[in-house]
Amino acid sequence: MSPISKLSSRRYSIIIPVYNRPDELEELLACLAQQTYQNFEVVIVEDGSKIKADDVVKSFAGRLDIHYHYKENGGQGFARNHGFERAAGDYFILLDSDALIEPDYLSIVENRLNTDYVDLYGGPDTDHPSFTPIQKAISYSMTSVFTTGGIRGKKNNMGGTFHPRSFNMGLSRKVWERTGGFLTSRMGEDILFSIAALRLGFKSALIPEAFIYHKRRTQFGAFFRQLKFFGRARINIARYYPDELKLVHTFPLLFTLGVCSIPVWYFIFEPFFYLGLWFLGIYVALLFIDALKKTKSAEVAFLSIGAAFVQLFGYGIGFVQEGWKRLWENKAHRETGAAIEYPS
């Protein structure tokens, strides 16, 4: 156990990269101003935004120990590195600007680290009652056992060792010093960071109670573009760590190919066409029933079916797109993502 882990009052640096989202940042800062645990600073890194959040940050100057830094746009990974270099805390917490947290979030983290210390943790995400039906449907899809979202926020999952994600991640100063921060700015930067930390011997853990309300996208078109990017990112992770590409990561592609092949079977072998429709119908029914049970809303449950298909198709198409590119490129190529626009 490190010396810092024995302290009863750890100093946290909450690092938040921001890109054209001042309104969302304001809501997150309001949550931070209500924290029951007070020993923390907030480090805002404006990543080349055209719509700046400096006025929002100034409005919280009397309520939070808050610091604002502006840099040229280079992506969220490098923006977080910028924050690491300027943070004064013993322990860093990374949050996306589109997150909301409960007042006891930091208290939960502090209590867990004082009883069972780890240098690297992650927390799950969920939806908030104020979210729109589409946001709730997307949140369901991204956390459901009936999609690959079911492996997110789990202590043990089919994807291997738990890799904290940067939308809700904590790490000790020692982890940052040993890893040097994020290796890439986009294209799977958080998973690459977690892998690097784990291979240095640091242990990761899920803190289930340290959840965030994650707004995500508000329209299916934007959600599709984001998941397509995630599928591409999985291939990019394999550029750095080939052994981290697991069978489970091909499931969205196999699902996409399977669904798209159903009409073709009508002309090749008709019984397979009806069998495919039967399996698809069972899957849709299970999605609807499970979403209805969890969300208590028929509207959200119906939208969750669409969200699941958008998620799996988007990820599968991005996966095969980047995978095909990988087949023909120089095998020494490593994509940092700094020159790639993150989908809005």
Side-chain angles (χ1 to χ4, degrees), residues 10 14 90 108 126 139 151 167 198 227 259 309 318 334:
R10 207 170 273 100
I14 300 176
D90 310 310
I108 289 170
T126 187
S139 179
I151 69 174
F167 63 79
L198 292 168
L227 266 294
V259 172
F309 276 77
R334 300 292 182 267

Side-chain angles (χ1 to χ4, degrees), residues 200-211:
L200 285 170
F202 294 106
K203 303 297 183 183
S204 68
L206 173 75
I207 305 181
E209 301 80 10
F211 64 87

Side-chain angles (χ1 to χ4, degrees), residues 13-17 41-45 65-67 69 83 86-88:
S13 291
I14 300 176
I15 299 170
I16 308 169
E41 65 170 355
V42 181
V43 180
I44 305 298
V45 181
D65 179 5
I66 191 166
H67 310 276
H69 305 280
R86 289 154 181 80

Side-chain angles (χ1 to χ4, degrees), residues 46-248:
E46 187 91 66
D47 189 32
S49 299
K50 294 180 176 64
I51 308 172
K52 293 185 179 181
D54 50 345
D55 287 338
V56 170
V57 173
K58 288 177 185 176
S59 70
F60 283 87
R63 302 166 61 188
L64 292 167
D65 179 5
I66 191 166
H67 310 276
Y68 176 84
H69 305 280
Y70 182 90
K71 64 178 288 295
E72 293 301 315
N73 181 258
Q76 56 266 36
F78 295 162
R80 295 179 189 116
N81 287 346
H82 197 82
F84 290 152
E85 293 165 1
R86 289 154 181 80
D90 310 310
Y91 209 98
F92 305 144
I93 293 177
L94 304 178
L95 295 174
D96 279 357
S97 61
D98 61 349
L100 300 173
I101 60 174
E102 291 286 354
D104 60 351
Y105 176 94
L106 283 174
S107 294
I108 289 170
V109 172
E110 174 69 2
N111 290 337
R112 166 59 191 269
L113 295 182
N114 281 335
T115 56
D116 186 13
Y117 182 80
V118 289
D119 279 294
L120 183 68
Y121 82 82
D125 56 342
T126 187
D127 64 318
H128 189 271
S130 67
F131 288 3
T132 67
I134 287 181
Q135 285 178 307
K136 291 179 180 179
I138 289 173
S139 179
Y140 166 81
S141 179
M142 289 294 286
T143 57
S144 172
V145 297
F146 291 105
T147 68
T148 56
I151 69 174
R152 293 164 60 92
K154 301 292 186 293
K155 294 179 182 178
N156 299 300
N157 61 70
M158 294 175 67
T161 304
F162 176 63
H163 298 120
R165 308 294 179 93
S166 54
F167 63 79
N168 182 11
M169 173 192 284
L171 61 137
S172 68
R173 177 174 287 274
K174 186 176 180 181
V175 170
W176 167 57
E177 291 172 346
R178 291 283 306 281
T179 60
F182 285 83
L183 181 63
T184 66
S185 191
R186 302 184 180 96
M187 295 287 281
E189 78 286 349
D190 50 358
I191 300 178
L192 285 168
F193 177 83
S194 293
I195 293 170
L198 292 168
R199 294 194 178 196
L200 285 170
F202 294 106
K203 303 297 183 183
S204 68
L206 173 75
I207 305 181
E209 301 80 10
F211 64 87
I212 67 167
Y213 300 111
H214 205 178
K215 295 177 185 176
R216 303 188 185 282
R217 297 301 187 261
T218 58
Q219 298 295 331
F220 283 153
F223 184 48
F224 176 84
R225 290 189 294 273
Q226 183 186 44
L227 266 294
K228 184 180 175 182
F229 194 85
F230 287 174
R232 293 179 61 199
R234 178 52 64 178
I235 296 296
N236 193 47
I237 293 165
R239 288 186 174 108
Y240 291 85
Y241 300 104
D243 58 313
E244 290 290 336
L245 189 61
K246 311 292 185 182
L247 179 62
V248 68

